[in-house]
Amino acid sequence: MEEAWIGDDYIGRARVRFSRSAEGREVLQDIIDGVRQHVSVGYSIRNAKYVGERDGLDVVLVTDWEPYEISIVSVPADTSVGIGRSADDASVKNPFKRNGSMHTKSSTEAPTDHNRSLTAAIMLLMDEAAKASGYRENTPAGFSEPVARIPVSRVRSTIASLNGDYLPGLFDDAGRIRRTPQAATSSEEHSVGLAVLANSRIARAGAGFVIVDEQTSANAVGLTGGVAMERTPGYVRNVDAAPWATVDVDAGASVAVSDSPISSAAIDWSTATAKAVRFVVNRRQRMAYEDQQKLCEQIVAAITLGLARAADEVLFSALAAEDLDPFTLAAAAAADLSFDELRAIVGTAATGAAIGTDGVLRAAGISADLTADMPGTIIGAWSRAAVAVRDDVNISIERTGLQGEMAITAWASMQALVPAPGKFWIVS
């Protein structure tokens, strides 16, 4: 799915992309040849209300609904829909046009309402993977029976949007994961990105968390007027106080040149860190859930919490590579930091950490939090660093065995941004 919209004529339309796989090319060719002409849209009703009676029947108005899949089918529920209902009419809204010119959404624009439930998308993938055949039969021209079985992939995949997809259920109103059985649902729905942010140690310590698309810009090149696409980096910048000096004007003294008070770190996806996870849900685990939605909610929650940990680990690794000096209050003062900017994160070795009589965890006297994603302890002004995470996270589900085992794989791209490494120290 590239884009979907409802026009002024109340007809839903979509712009889709077909796979270049053999199966994808086969379906596309059948559409071009007029063989496959019908479309089915799967949707869930999220809210409805009773509005009265008509001809002795209850009338229910759907006030909130959500499409989650579109597919080419042989027998649709409504034969009036399908291929050919194009958006050529000027009265129909085209989402790629604005004021008569082509327009592509940018990550700098305000996000639209949540696109879909990631739980519903995972449920659909799991159902499709469970039903997927490991082959398709090939019947050449002139033959009445299949003569070959061509292997096909059982993998079904989707691209999750951290800013667009939402998480119902297992996260509270602040976006934190619920840990108590009685807390079954949340009164709010959060984007995946907000839940990642709420469950990240570095974010709670003050670090920036940037969710962005890969930005490109078009530049005309050459006499032919060709267009070249180039990456347009974003930046995270640290701004310190400019060091004013006392100058003896009467003595004709000049002003010494100081180091720049502004330092930057560029977001460059070509050098980003690829993070991935793969785990298997077996048939016994699946059958233990009477409601498969609950299982899918927990899969989504596990992936979301894992994204938070992965972002933390990326920043910890970048700081470890800086060969940080041991922490002292004198060093923090020399770095022009106020005491309330400092925060410690304590790793698995618990170096320098202790719980005070007031029940507060501290490291070298600095208020601290715990993490399993590094061995040592780091103290710093975490607001002077950030992690950039690509908005699109690839999730795939594959049926791996005859007993219904499902392998879930997710990929994400992240980059640590540390424009001021001199604001961080280790505890020795």
mmCIF file of all heavy atoms in Angstrom, residues 258-310:
data_model
loop_
_atom_site.group_PDB
_atom_site.id
_atom_site.type_symbol
_atom_site.label_atom_id
_atom_site.label_comp_id
_atom_site.label_asym_id
_atom_site.label_seq_id
_atom_site.Cartn_x
_atom_site.Cartn_y
_atom_site.Cartn_z
ATOM 1 N N SER A 258 38.322 31.612 20.500
ATOM 2 C CA SER A 258 37.992 30.449 21.328
ATOM 3 C C SER A 258 37.403 29.340 20.458
ATOM 4 O O SER A 258 37.093 29.540 19.278
ATOM 5 C CB SER A 258 36.976 30.841 22.411
ATOM 6 O OG SER A 258 35.781 31.314 21.801
ATOM 7 N N ASP A 259 37.258 28.154 21.049
ATOM 8 C CA ASP A 259 36.604 27.058 20.339
ATOM 9 C C ASP A 259 35.144 27.410 20.084
ATOM 10 O O ASP A 259 34.520 28.144 20.851
ATOM 11 C CB ASP A 259 36.676 25.763 21.171
ATOM 12 C CG ASP A 259 38.102 25.251 21.312
ATOM 13 O OD1 ASP A 259 38.931 25.566 20.428
ATOM 14 O OD2 ASP A 259 38.376 24.547 22.295
ATOM 15 N N SER A 260 34.594 26.878 19.001
ATOM 16 C CA SER A 260 33.199 27.153 18.683
ATOM 17 C C SER A 260 32.295 26.590 19.772
ATOM 18 O O SER A 260 32.477 25.448 20.217
ATOM 19 C CB SER A 260 32.824 26.529 17.335
ATOM 20 O OG SER A 260 31.429 26.652 17.112
ATOM 21 N N PRO A 261 31.307 27.367 20.225
ATOM 22 C CA PRO A 261 30.380 26.869 21.246
ATOM 23 C C PRO A 261 29.290 25.969 20.670
ATOM 24 O O PRO A 261 28.444 25.474 21.403
ATOM 25 C CB PRO A 261 29.780 28.153 21.818
ATOM 26 C CG PRO A 261 29.816 29.111 20.664
ATOM 27 C CD PRO A 261 31.046 28.786 19.880
ATOM 28 N N ILE A 262 29.315 25.755 19.361
ATOM 29 C CA ILE A 262 28.290 24.933 18.703
ATOM 30 C C ILE A 262 28.952 23.701 18.095
ATOM 31 O O ILE A 262 29.911 23.811 17.336
ATOM 32 C CB ILE A 262 27.561 25.722 17.599
ATOM 33 C CG1 ILE A 262 26.912 26.982 18.188
ATOM 34 C CG2 ILE A 262 26.517 24.844 16.910
ATOM 35 C CD1 ILE A 262 26.329 27.908 17.137
ATOM 36 N N SER A 263 28.458 22.535 18.447
ATOM 37 C CA SER A 263 28.950 21.282 17.872
ATOM 38 C C SER A 263 27.769 20.496 17.321
ATOM 39 O O SER A 263 26.652 20.595 17.839
ATOM 40 C CB SER A 263 29.709 20.455 18.914
ATOM 41 O OG SER A 263 28.924 20.256 20.077
ATOM 42 N N SER A 264 27.997 19.721 16.259
ATOM 43 C CA SER A 264 26.907 19.043 15.562
ATOM 44 C C SER A 264 27.217 17.575 15.328
ATOM 45 O O SER A 264 28.384 17.178 15.243
ATOM 46 C CB SER A 264 26.644 19.710 14.204
ATOM 47 O OG SER A 264 26.335 21.076 14.353
ATOM 48 N N ALA A 265 26.175 16.794 15.211
ATOM 49 C CA ALA A 265 26.271 15.394 14.782
ATOM 50 C C ALA A 265 25.212 15.194 13.713
ATOM 51 O O ALA A 265 24.036 15.502 13.925
ATOM 52 C CB ALA A 265 26.047 14.437 15.953
ATOM 53 N N ALA A 266 25.619 14.699 12.542
ATOM 54 C CA ALA A 266 24.711 14.556 11.403
ATOM 55 C C ALA A 266 24.012 13.204 11.420
ATOM 56 O O ALA A 266 24.603 12.185 11.776
ATOM 57 C CB ALA A 266 25.481 14.723 10.094
ATOM 58 N N ILE A 267 22.746 13.206 11.036
ATOM 59 C CA ILE A 267 22.001 11.960 10.846
ATOM 60 C C ILE A 267 22.306 11.461 9.438
ATOM 61 O O ILE A 267 21.908 12.081 8.455
ATOM 62 C CB ILE A 267 20.493 12.181 11.021
ATOM 63 C CG1 ILE A 267 20.187 12.750 12.414
ATOM 64 C CG2 ILE A 267 19.728 10.886 10.800
ATOM 65 C CD1 ILE A 267 18.745 13.168 12.607
ATOM 66 N N ASP A 268 23.007 10.349 9.343
ATOM 67 C CA ASP A 268 23.417 9.800 8.054
ATOM 68 C C ASP A 268 23.082 8.319 8.035
ATOM 69 O O ASP A 268 23.769 7.501 8.647
ATOM 70 C CB ASP A 268 24.924 10.014 7.849
ATOM 71 C CG ASP A 268 25.396 9.520 6.494
ATOM 72 O OD1 ASP A 268 24.567 8.990 5.729
ATOM 73 O OD2 ASP A 268 26.600 9.659 6.197
ATOM 74 N N TRP A 269 22.005 7.961 7.333
ATOM 75 C CA TRP A 269 21.545 6.579 7.358
ATOM 76 C C TRP A 269 22.506 5.625 6.661
ATOM 77 O O TRP A 269 22.432 4.413 6.864
ATOM 78 C CB TRP A 269 20.153 6.468 6.735
ATOM 79 C CG TRP A 269 19.105 7.183 7.528
ATOM 80 C CD1 TRP A 269 18.304 8.192 7.119
ATOM 81 C CD2 TRP A 269 18.758 6.946 8.898
ATOM 82 N NE1 TRP A 269 17.488 8.614 8.132
ATOM 83 C CE2 TRP A 269 17.737 7.853 9.241
ATOM 84 C CE3 TRP A 269 19.216 6.060 9.881
ATOM 85 C CZ2 TRP A 269 17.169 7.901 10.504
ATOM 86 C CZ3 TRP A 269 18.637 6.111 11.142
ATOM 87 C CH2 TRP A 269 17.632 7.016 11.437
ATOM 88 N N SER A 270 23.421 6.149 5.838
ATOM 89 C CA SER A 270 24.386 5.258 5.203
ATOM 90 C C SER A 270 25.381 4.688 6.205
ATOM 91 O O SER A 270 26.043 3.685 5.939
ATOM 92 C CB SER A 270 25.136 5.995 4.092
ATOM 93 O OG SER A 270 25.933 7.054 4.621
ATOM 94 N N THR A 271 25.506 5.316 7.356
ATOM 95 C CA THR A 271 26.420 4.835 8.400
ATOM 96 C C THR A 271 25.666 4.373 9.641
ATOM 97 O O THR A 271 26.271 4.160 10.684
ATOM 98 C CB THR A 271 27.411 5.939 8.791
ATOM 99 O OG1 THR A 271 26.690 7.074 9.312
ATOM 100 C CG2 THR A 271 28.230 6.397 7.593
ATOM 101 N N ALA A 272 24.348 4.236 9.518
ATOM 102 C CA ALA A 272 23.540 3.858 10.683
ATOM 103 C C ALA A 272 23.789 2.411 11.081
ATOM 104 O O ALA A 272 24.322 1.605 10.314
ATOM 105 C CB ALA A 272 22.059 4.077 10.385
ATOM 106 N N THR A 273 23.402 2.094 12.298
ATOM 107 C CA THR A 273 23.509 0.727 12.823
ATOM 108 C C THR A 273 22.230 -0.038 12.508
ATOM 109 O O THR A 273 21.128 0.448 12.778
ATOM 110 C CB THR A 273 23.718 0.754 14.344
ATOM 111 O OG1 THR A 273 24.924 1.469 14.641
ATOM 112 C CG2 THR A 273 23.821 -0.670 14.901
ATOM 113 N N ALA A 274 22.363 -1.224 11.914
ATOM 114 C CA ALA A 274 21.201 -2.081 11.657
ATOM 115 C C ALA A 274 20.986 -2.971 12.881
ATOM 116 O O ALA A 274 21.904 -3.655 13.335
ATOM 117 C CB ALA A 274 21.428 -2.930 10.412
ATOM 118 N N LYS A 275 19.777 -2.958 13.410
ATOM 119 C CA LYS A 275 19.425 -3.801 14.549
ATOM 120 C C LYS A 275 18.306 -4.750 14.113
ATOM 121 O O LYS A 275 17.407 -4.364 13.359
ATOM 122 C CB LYS A 275 18.939 -2.946 15.724
ATOM 123 C CG LYS A 275 19.932 -1.888 16.188
ATOM 124 C CD LYS A 275 21.161 -2.518 16.840
ATOM 125 C CE LYS A 275 20.869 -2.998 18.228
ATOM 126 N NZ LYS A 275 22.094 -3.473 18.928
ATOM 127 N N ALA A 276 18.374 -5.969 14.584
ATOM 128 C CA ALA A 276 17.371 -6.964 14.189
ATOM 129 C C ALA A 276 17.098 -7.919 15.342
ATOM 130 O O ALA A 276 17.921 -8.081 16.246
ATOM 131 C CB ALA A 276 17.855 -7.751 12.963
ATOM 132 N N VAL A 277 15.939 -8.554 15.289
ATOM 133 C CA VAL A 277 15.572 -9.563 16.278
ATOM 134 C C VAL A 277 14.766 -10.645 15.562
ATOM 135 O O VAL A 277 14.045 -10.357 14.592
ATOM 136 C CB VAL A 277 14.740 -8.939 17.429
ATOM 137 C CG1 VAL A 277 13.422 -8.386 16.915
ATOM 138 C CG2 VAL A 277 14.495 -9.954 18.537
ATOM 139 N N ARG A 278 14.923 -11.886 16.001
ATOM 140 C CA ARG A 278 14.168 -13.002 15.440
ATOM 141 C C ARG A 278 13.839 -13.972 16.566
ATOM 142 O O ARG A 278 14.740 -14.366 17.322
ATOM 143 C CB ARG A 278 14.976 -13.707 14.345
ATOM 144 C CG ARG A 278 14.232 -14.870 13.654
ATOM 145 C CD ARG A 278 15.114 -15.443 12.541
ATOM 146 N NE ARG A 278 14.558 -16.637 11.918
ATOM 147 C CZ ARG A 278 13.721 -16.636 10.890
ATOM 148 N NH1 ARG A 278 13.345 -15.473 10.361
ATOM 149 N NH2 ARG A 278 13.268 -17.763 10.363
ATOM 150 N N PHE A 279 12.582 -14.319 16.701
ATOM 151 C CA PHE A 279 12.191 -15.300 17.703
ATOM 152 C C PHE A 279 11.055 -16.148 17.140
ATOM 153 O O PHE A 279 10.396 -15.759 16.157
ATOM 154 C CB PHE A 279 11.801 -14.641 19.032
ATOM 155 C CG PHE A 279 10.692 -13.628 18.927
ATOM 156 C CD1 PHE A 279 9.365 -13.990 19.117
ATOM 157 C CD2 PHE A 279 10.975 -12.298 18.649
ATOM 158 C CE1 PHE A 279 8.344 -13.056 19.029
ATOM 159 C CE2 PHE A 279 9.961 -11.349 18.546
ATOM 160 C CZ PHE A 279 8.651 -11.738 18.742
ATOM 161 N N VAL A 280 10.822 -17.300 17.740
ATOM 162 C CA VAL A 280 9.850 -18.261 17.222
ATOM 163 C C VAL A 280 8.715 -18.446 18.227
ATOM 164 O O VAL A 280 8.951 -18.588 19.433
ATOM 165 C CB VAL A 280 10.520 -19.621 16.916
ATOM 166 C CG1 VAL A 280 9.479 -20.662 16.509
ATOM 167 C CG2 VAL A 280 11.576 -19.451 15.820
ATOM 168 N N VAL A 281 7.503 -18.435 17.730
ATOM 169 C CA VAL A 281 6.323 -18.779 18.518
ATOM 170 C C VAL A 281 5.838 -20.133 18.013
ATOM 171 O O VAL A 281 5.470 -20.267 16.838
ATOM 172 C CB VAL A 281 5.216 -17.719 18.363
ATOM 173 C CG1 VAL A 281 3.972 -18.130 19.143
ATOM 174 C CG2 VAL A 281 5.711 -16.355 18.825
ATOM 175 N N ASN A 282 5.869 -21.137 18.881
ATOM 176 C CA ASN A 282 5.481 -22.474 18.418
ATOM 177 C C ASN A 282 3.962 -22.671 18.516
ATOM 178 O O ASN A 282 3.229 -21.837 19.054
ATOM 179 C CB ASN A 282 6.230 -23.567 19.183
ATOM 180 C CG ASN A 282 5.956 -23.544 20.673
ATOM 181 O OD1 ASN A 282 4.842 -23.290 21.116
ATOM 182 N ND2 ASN A 282 6.990 -23.809 21.469
ATOM 183 N N ARG A 283 3.506 -23.807 17.991
ATOM 184 C CA ARG A 283 2.070 -24.070 17.925
ATOM 185 C C ARG A 283 1.459 -24.160 19.322
ATOM 186 O O ARG A 283 0.345 -23.679 19.558
ATOM 187 C CB ARG A 283 1.814 -25.369 17.154
ATOM 188 C CG ARG A 283 0.332 -25.659 16.915
ATOM 189 C CD ARG A 283 0.164 -26.884 16.037
ATOM 190 N NE ARG A 283 -1.239 -27.134 15.733
ATOM 191 C CZ ARG A 283 -2.073 -27.790 16.512
ATOM 192 N NH1 ARG A 283 -1.652 -28.272 17.683
ATOM 193 N NH2 ARG A 283 -3.331 -27.973 16.171
ATOM 194 N N ARG A 284 2.179 -24.776 20.261
ATOM 195 C CA ARG A 284 1.640 -24.899 21.623
ATOM 196 C C ARG A 284 1.420 -23.523 22.241
ATOM 197 O O ARG A 284 0.400 -23.292 22.912
ATOM 198 C CB ARG A 284 2.594 -25.721 22.480
ATOM 199 C CG ARG A 284 2.146 -25.860 23.935
ATOM 200 C CD ARG A 284 3.054 -26.780 24.716
ATOM 201 N NE ARG A 284 2.960 -28.158 24.223
ATOM 202 C CZ ARG A 284 3.650 -29.164 24.741
ATOM 203 N NH1 ARG A 284 4.482 -28.948 25.758
ATOM 204 N NH2 ARG A 284 3.517 -30.377 24.251
ATOM 205 N N GLN A 285 2.375 -22.620 22.031
ATOM 206 C CA GLN A 285 2.207 -21.270 22.553
ATOM 207 C C GLN A 285 1.009 -20.577 21.912
ATOM 208 O O GLN A 285 0.240 -19.893 22.592
ATOM 209 C CB GLN A 285 3.478 -20.452 22.299
ATOM 210 C CG GLN A 285 4.666 -20.876 23.147
ATOM 211 C CD GLN A 285 5.927 -20.153 22.733
ATOM 212 O OE1 GLN A 285 6.294 -20.123 21.555
ATOM 213 N NE2 GLN A 285 6.615 -19.574 23.701
ATOM 214 N N ARG A 286 0.838 -20.750 20.617
ATOM 215 C CA ARG A 286 -0.289 -20.118 19.937
ATOM 216 C C ARG A 286 -1.619 -20.675 20.427
ATOM 217 O O ARG A 286 -2.583 -19.939 20.616
ATOM 218 C CB ARG A 286 -0.162 -20.320 18.423
ATOM 219 C CG ARG A 286 1.000 -19.564 17.783
ATOM 220 C CD ARG A 286 1.119 -19.919 16.305
ATOM 221 N NE ARG A 286 -0.123 -19.609 15.607
ATOM 222 C CZ ARG A 286 -0.496 -20.189 14.478
ATOM 223 N NH1 ARG A 286 0.249 -21.149 13.947
ATOM 224 N NH2 ARG A 286 -1.630 -19.840 13.885
ATOM 225 N N MET A 287 -1.689 -21.984 20.610
ATOM 226 C CA MET A 287 -2.939 -22.605 21.038
ATOM 227 C C MET A 287 -3.283 -22.279 22.482
ATOM 228 O O MET A 287 -4.417 -22.465 22.917
ATOM 229 C CB MET A 287 -2.853 -24.121 20.848
ATOM 230 C CG MET A 287 -2.759 -24.578 19.397
ATOM 231 S SD MET A 287 -4.175 -24.038 18.385
ATOM 232 C CE MET A 287 -3.459 -22.632 17.492
ATOM 233 N N ALA A 288 -2.313 -21.805 23.252
ATOM 234 C CA ALA A 288 -2.565 -21.446 24.647
ATOM 235 C C ALA A 288 -3.404 -20.171 24.763
ATOM 236 O O ALA A 288 -3.902 -19.845 25.840
ATOM 237 C CB ALA A 288 -1.249 -21.274 25.401
ATOM 238 N N TYR A 289 -3.541 -19.451 23.648
ATOM 239 C CA TYR A 289 -4.319 -18.223 23.645
ATOM 240 C C TYR A 289 -5.672 -18.485 22.997
ATOM 241 O O TYR A 289 -5.740 -18.856 21.815
ATOM 242 C CB TYR A 289 -3.598 -17.123 22.858
ATOM 243 C CG TYR A 289 -2.363 -16.587 23.549
ATOM 244 C CD1 TYR A 289 -1.152 -17.263 23.458
ATOM 245 C CD2 TYR A 289 -2.408 -15.389 24.259
ATOM 246 C CE1 TYR A 289 -0.017 -16.768 24.074
ATOM 247 C CE2 TYR A 289 -1.279 -14.889 24.876
ATOM 248 C CZ TYR A 289 -0.091 -15.584 24.784
ATOM 249 O OH TYR A 289 1.038 -15.095 25.388
ATOM 250 N N GLU A 290 -6.746 -18.313 23.740
ATOM 251 C CA GLU A 290 -8.068 -18.423 23.146
ATOM 252 C C GLU A 290 -8.320 -17.278 22.176
ATOM 253 O O GLU A 290 -8.984 -17.437 21.163
ATOM 254 C CB GLU A 290 -9.143 -18.425 24.242
ATOM 255 C CG GLU A 290 -9.114 -19.657 25.143
ATOM 256 C CD GLU A 290 -10.230 -19.622 26.159
ATOM 257 O OE1 GLU A 290 -11.072 -18.694 26.077
ATOM 258 O OE2 GLU A 290 -10.280 -20.519 27.016
ATOM 259 N N ASP A 291 -7.773 -16.114 22.502
ATOM 260 C CA ASP A 291 -7.913 -14.933 21.656
ATOM 261 C C ASP A 291 -6.545 -14.629 21.045
ATOM 262 O O ASP A 291 -5.622 -14.205 21.748
ATOM 263 C CB ASP A 291 -8.411 -13.746 22.488
ATOM 264 C CG ASP A 291 -8.668 -12.497 21.648
ATOM 265 O OD1 ASP A 291 -8.341 -12.528 20.442
ATOM 266 O OD2 ASP A 291 -9.177 -11.510 22.193
ATOM 267 N N GLN A 292 -6.391 -14.855 19.736
ATOM 268 C CA GLN A 292 -5.109 -14.627 19.081
ATOM 269 C C GLN A 292 -4.703 -13.157 19.089
ATOM 270 O O GLN A 292 -3.526 -12.836 18.955
ATOM 271 C CB GLN A 292 -5.163 -15.144 17.640
ATOM 272 C CG GLN A 292 -5.242 -16.653 17.526
ATOM 273 C CD GLN A 292 -4.006 -17.340 18.091
ATOM 274 O OE1 GLN A 292 -2.901 -17.174 17.587
ATOM 275 N NE2 GLN A 292 -4.186 -18.111 19.159
ATOM 276 N N GLN A 293 -5.691 -12.268 19.271
ATOM 277 C CA GLN A 293 -5.345 -10.855 19.357
ATOM 278 C C GLN A 293 -4.441 -10.587 20.553
ATOM 279 O O GLN A 293 -3.531 -9.764 20.476
ATOM 280 C CB GLN A 293 -6.610 -9.995 19.454
ATOM 281 C CG GLN A 293 -6.305 -8.499 19.584
ATOM 282 C CD GLN A 293 -7.554 -7.653 19.590
ATOM 283 O OE1 GLN A 293 -8.587 -8.051 19.062
ATOM 284 N NE2 GLN A 293 -7.462 -6.468 20.179
ATOM 285 N N LYS A 294 -4.686 -11.274 21.670
ATOM 286 C CA LYS A 294 -3.857 -11.078 22.855
ATOM 287 C C LYS A 294 -2.416 -11.491 22.569
ATOM 288 O O LYS A 294 -1.470 -10.823 22.986
ATOM 289 C CB LYS A 294 -4.420 -11.881 24.030
ATOM 290 C CG LYS A 294 -5.803 -11.438 24.489
ATOM 291 C CD LYS A 294 -5.790 -9.995 24.975
ATOM 292 C CE LYS A 294 -7.163 -9.577 25.476
ATOM 293 N NZ LYS A 294 -7.177 -8.143 25.859
ATOM 294 N N LEU A 295 -2.248 -12.608 21.856
ATOM 295 C CA LEU A 295 -0.898 -13.040 21.491
ATOM 296 C C LEU A 295 -0.222 -11.992 20.615
ATOM 297 O O LEU A 295 0.941 -11.639 20.854
ATOM 298 C CB LEU A 295 -0.966 -14.377 20.759
ATOM 299 C CG LEU A 295 0.347 -14.863 20.104
ATOM 300 C CD1 LEU A 295 1.445 -15.042 21.145
ATOM 301 C CD2 LEU A 295 0.113 -16.149 19.330
ATOM 302 N N CYS A 296 -0.940 -11.469 19.627
ATOM 303 C CA CYS A 296 -0.351 -10.480 18.727
ATOM 304 C C CYS A 296 -0.037 -9.184 19.456
ATOM 305 O O CYS A 296 0.971 -8.529 19.173
ATOM 306 C CB CYS A 296 -1.283 -10.232 17.543
ATOM 307 S SG CYS A 296 -1.443 -11.652 16.452
ATOM 308 N N GLU A 297 -0.898 -8.789 20.405
ATOM 309 C CA GLU A 297 -0.597 -7.606 21.220
ATOM 310 C C GLU A 297 0.716 -7.783 21.966
ATOM 311 O O GLU A 297 1.528 -6.852 22.070
ATOM 312 C CB GLU A 297 -1.732 -7.353 22.219
ATOM 313 C CG GLU A 297 -2.966 -6.720 21.620
ATOM 314 C CD GLU A 297 -4.007 -6.418 22.674
ATOM 315 O OE1 GLU A 297 -3.808 -6.807 23.846
ATOM 316 O OE2 GLU A 297 -5.028 -5.782 22.336
ATOM 317 N N GLN A 298 0.938 -8.982 22.505
ATOM 318 C CA GLN A 298 2.155 -9.224 23.272
ATOM 319 C C GLN A 298 3.387 -9.313 22.363
ATOM 320 O O GLN A 298 4.481 -8.904 22.760
ATOM 321 C CB GLN A 298 1.975 -10.482 24.116
ATOM 322 C CG GLN A 298 0.955 -10.272 25.227
ATOM 323 C CD GLN A 298 0.545 -11.534 25.937
ATOM 324 O OE1 GLN A 298 1.238 -12.537 25.894
ATOM 325 N NE2 GLN A 298 -0.616 -11.512 26.586
ATOM 326 N N ILE A 299 3.209 -9.831 21.147
ATOM 327 C CA ILE A 299 4.315 -9.819 20.183
ATOM 328 C C ILE A 299 4.702 -8.380 19.847
ATOM 329 O O ILE A 299 5.885 -8.023 19.839
ATOM 330 C CB ILE A 299 3.923 -10.597 18.912
ATOM 331 C CG1 ILE A 299 3.841 -12.094 19.201
ATOM 332 C CG2 ILE A 299 4.911 -10.328 17.781
ATOM 333 C CD1 ILE A 299 3.297 -12.909 18.053
ATOM 334 N N VAL A 300 3.708 -7.548 19.584
ATOM 335 C CA VAL A 300 3.959 -6.143 19.271
ATOM 336 C C VAL A 300 4.610 -5.435 20.461
ATOM 337 O O VAL A 300 5.546 -4.640 20.309
ATOM 338 C CB VAL A 300 2.653 -5.440 18.865
ATOM 339 C CG1 VAL A 300 2.845 -3.931 18.791
ATOM 340 C CG2 VAL A 300 2.166 -5.972 17.517
ATOM 341 N N ALA A 301 4.118 -5.729 21.669
ATOM 342 C CA ALA A 301 4.703 -5.118 22.865
ATOM 343 C C ALA A 301 6.164 -5.522 23.024
ATOM 344 O O ALA A 301 7.021 -4.690 23.356
ATOM 345 C CB ALA A 301 3.901 -5.523 24.103
ATOM 346 N N ALA A 302 6.480 -6.808 22.778
ATOM 347 C CA ALA A 302 7.862 -7.272 22.899
ATOM 348 C C ALA A 302 8.768 -6.581 21.890
ATOM 349 O O ALA A 302 9.897 -6.180 22.210
ATOM 350 C CB ALA A 302 7.911 -8.788 22.706
ATOM 351 N N ILE A 303 8.285 -6.415 20.658
ATOM 352 C CA ILE A 303 9.081 -5.723 19.636
ATOM 353 C C ILE A 303 9.286 -4.269 20.021
ATOM 354 O O ILE A 303 10.387 -3.712 19.886
ATOM 355 C CB ILE A 303 8.390 -5.832 18.266
ATOM 356 C CG1 ILE A 303 8.441 -7.281 17.760
ATOM 357 C CG2 ILE A 303 9.034 -4.900 17.244
ATOM 358 C CD1 ILE A 303 7.650 -7.538 16.499
ATOM 359 N N THR A 304 8.241 -3.632 20.543
ATOM 360 C CA THR A 304 8.332 -2.223 20.941
ATOM 361 C C THR A 304 9.320 -2.026 22.086
ATOM 362 O O THR A 304 10.179 -1.134 22.051
ATOM 363 C CB THR A 304 6.948 -1.706 21.342
ATOM 364 O OG1 THR A 304 6.049 -1.878 20.240
ATOM 365 C CG2 THR A 304 6.994 -0.243 21.731
ATOM 366 N N LEU A 305 9.219 -2.858 23.118
ATOM 367 C CA LEU A 305 10.166 -2.764 24.229
ATOM 368 C C LEU A 305 11.591 -3.050 23.754
ATOM 369 O O LEU A 305 12.557 -2.425 24.213
ATOM 370 C CB LEU A 305 9.771 -3.742 25.333
ATOM 371 C CG LEU A 305 8.441 -3.467 26.042
ATOM 372 C CD1 LEU A 305 8.116 -4.599 27.009
ATOM 373 C CD2 LEU A 305 8.488 -2.135 26.776
ATOM 374 N N GLY A 306 11.723 -3.988 22.817
ATOM 375 C CA GLY A 306 13.036 -4.289 22.276
ATOM 376 C C GLY A 306 13.637 -3.131 21.504
ATOM 377 O O GLY A 306 14.856 -2.906 21.534
ATOM 378 N N LEU A 307 12.782 -2.375 20.797
ATOM 379 C CA LEU A 307 13.277 -1.186 20.093
ATOM 380 C C LEU A 307 13.842 -0.162 21.079
ATOM 381 O O LEU A 307 14.870 0.477 20.814
ATOM 382 C CB LEU A 307 12.143 -0.550 19.289
ATOM 383 C CG LEU A 307 11.812 -1.192 17.942
ATOM 384 C CD1 LEU A 307 10.504 -0.625 17.404
ATOM 385 C CD2 LEU A 307 12.932 -0.961 16.944
ATOM 386 N N ALA A 308 13.168 -0.002 22.224
ATOM 387 C CA ALA A 308 13.667 0.927 23.245
ATOM 388 C C ALA A 308 15.040 0.487 23.749
ATOM 389 O O ALA A 308 15.966 1.293 23.867
ATOM 390 C CB ALA A 308 12.672 1.018 24.399
ATOM 391 N N ARG A 309 15.199 -0.805 24.023
ATOM 392 C CA ARG A 309 16.487 -1.314 24.496
ATOM 393 C C ARG A 309 17.557 -1.201 23.421
ATOM 394 O O ARG A 309 18.721 -0.893 23.712
ATOM 395 C CB ARG A 309 16.346 -2.763 24.943
ATOM 396 C CG ARG A 309 15.635 -2.945 26.266
ATOM 397 C CD ARG A 309 15.785 -4.354 26.792
ATOM 398 N NE ARG A 309 17.179 -4.726 26.996
ATOM 399 C CZ ARG A 309 17.579 -5.894 27.486
ATOM 400 N NH1 ARG A 309 16.665 -6.806 27.811
ATOM 401 N NH2 ARG A 309 18.843 -6.161 27.655
ATOM 402 N N ALA A 310 17.169 -1.459 22.172
ATOM 403 C CA ALA A 310 18.142 -1.368 21.081
ATOM 404 C C ALA A 310 18.659 0.061 20.933
ATOM 405 O O ALA A 310 19.859 0.288 20.732
ATOM 406 C CB ALA A 310 17.503 -1.838 19.773
#
